[in-house]
Amino acid sequence: MRISFRKTVLLAVFCVSSLCLLTGCEPSERKVLSSSYYKELQQENQKLEKQVEKLQEEAADNSPTVDEERAVDYLDKIARDNLVRLEVGYADNMDGSEFVDNEAAFTFATLLAKRADLTQKYTPEEVEEMYGPGYEYILYDEDNAVYEVYVYGGNYVVFTDLPNNVYYVYNASALGDAFLHYRNGYPNSSLLHRLADSALIIDEAGMFYENETAFAAANSIDQMEKERSSRREARRTWRQEEREESGTGRPKPVTYTFYHHGNTMVLTMFDSFYCIENMDGKRTWYRAAEEDVNQLKDLFTQASAQMQEEINEGSQNSQEEETEEEPSHSSEIEEESDVSSLDEEE
């Protein structure tokens, strides 16, 4: 009897459950809203809404303003421009400025715009107060547009058309260091030190090189095993090699002009012979192992490839800001260098 009653109850429960399923019977809204699962979903949804609001605010903050878009367009125009003239001078007195008509210098001037990285470290007033008047560059393009650039502390730049912005531009002072004479007279130094301190080097193909290459070249010359020679000895050697069919006569030279505060020095390399022309026009000839001279040539070849890659990129290359101006490398070469007599002509 009990077993029959249990079966009846179970059958009734089964029928009621089946009826609920068939008729779409669901838990009431009140029960759903009061369930712990629903409350967890509500909390998760609130967290997501806050995250969305935060992301929207950040996106709005990161959206470029009209002034920022104008600055980007301005720098891009300089970077792509074709200059026809360049004026370099001291910012507090442009009466003694130098006009430069050199394609390599034009390319370097436009490269400043590519390297420009906006910094919040200083205001224009603060950077001028900290570093004082530096260099002023005036760029003239083929459409008669004029760009004025002020350089402070070696690496900080203010464009007059963007007066509220300060940009970090690596090696921005190179044009002034290369083409402007010292105001208080030229300091005493050896030729090797002047080579190492040169701000720019320009080759016959119109490629330019910066101070890192100048320092590396001077250091290579310093470390190279060499002996003093002469043009006469070089010509005699080339003629003899040509007679013995071990050479083709005078090799084609490669020439690099070093620019150092308004003066120039010229390095000319042949095979095992090379000569250095001082800023007074005197030349000193040297002879070294041809392998060593070729390594010096390779140094310039590699630097040229790297510089050409940067020029072709067409995008800004941000540089880590430095608190002080780049130190001179010349002190790293010992005064007792075995080529300290380079100033003397044979």
Side-chain angles (χ1 to χ4, degrees), residues 28 55-56 98 127 135 138 162 193 221 282 335 337:
S28 66
L55 290 173
Q56 289 175 340
E98 297 287 340
V127 75
Y135 297 136
I138 304 178
L162 304 172
H193 285 80
I221 294 171
K282 292 183 179 180
E335 292 288 341
S337 166

Side-chain angles (χ1 to χ4, degrees), residues 32-208:
V32 171
L33 295 177
S34 61
S35 67
S36 60
Y37 178 67
Y38 180 78
K39 291 179 179 179
E40 290 177 2
L41 290 178
Q42 276 188 317
Q43 293 175 355
E44 187 66 25
N45 184 61
Q46 290 173 356
K47 290 180 181 179
L48 292 174
E49 287 179 348
K50 290 181 179 179
Q51 291 178 3
V52 170
E53 290 177 0
K54 184 177 180 180
L55 290 173
Q56 289 175 340
E57 291 175 358
E58 291 178 353
D61 292 339
N62 292 330
S63 298
T65 64
V66 174
D67 289 341
E68 289 172 340
E69 290 179 347
R70 175 177 172 272
V72 171
D73 292 341
Y74 178 81
L75 294 175
D76 185 59
K77 185 179 186 307
I78 296 177
R80 293 182 291 103
D81 218 338
N82 293 318
L83 302 183
V84 295
R85 203 174 195 189
L86 172 65
E87 185 177 0
V88 181
Y90 288 100
D92 58 349
N93 185 4
M94 289 292 286
D95 291 341
S97 63
E98 297 287 340
F99 285 93
V100 180
D101 296 308
N102 187 298
E103 288 293 336
F106 296 161
T107 303
F108 183 83
T110 58
L111 187 64
L112 298 180
K114 293 182 182 180
R115 290 180 175 179
D117 187 17
L118 182 64
T119 177
Q120 304 298 330
K121 189 172 184 179
Y122 303 111
T123 65
E125 294 76 18
E126 289 172 342
V127 75
E128 183 174 5
E129 181 179 357
M130 174 167 288
Y131 294 105
Y135 297 136
E136 180 180 355
Y137 306 154
I138 304 178
L139 287 55
Y140 303 85
D141 79 353
E142 58 187 1
D143 298 321
N144 297 320
V146 178
Y147 311 101
E148 294 185 56
V149 183
Y150 290 89
V151 180
Y152 302 95
N155 298 308
Y156 292 99
V157 164
V158 175
F159 297 89
T160 54
D161 291 326
L162 304 172
N164 299 320
N165 296 345
V166 177
Y167 293 89
Y168 179 83
V169 181
Y170 173 70
N171 203 24
S173 63
L175 292 171
D177 293 339
F179 297 108
L180 292 179
H181 291 274
Y182 285 111
R183 280 180 156 176
N184 299 319
Y186 210 88
N188 291 326
S189 59
S190 70
L191 173 56
L192 188 67
H193 285 80
R194 290 192 291 274
L195 290 175
D197 259 349
S198 295
L200 286 177
I201 305 171
I202 298 177
D203 64 20
E204 293 176 309
M207 175 56 68
F208 64 86

Side-chain angles (χ1 to χ4, degrees), residues 220 224 271-272 288-298:
S220 178
M224 189 184 300
D271 43 14
S272 60
E290 188 169 349
E291 180 182 355
D292 292 338
V293 177
N294 286 336
Q295 287 182 355
L296 182 56
K297 292 178 181 179
D298 290 341

Side-chain angles (χ1 to χ4, degrees), residues 15-29 31-32:
C15 291
V16 171
S17 300
S18 299
L19 183 62
C20 288
L21 292 173
L22 292 173
T23 58
C25 179
E26 297 179 354
S28 66
E29 181 179 354
K31 289 184 177 181
V32 171

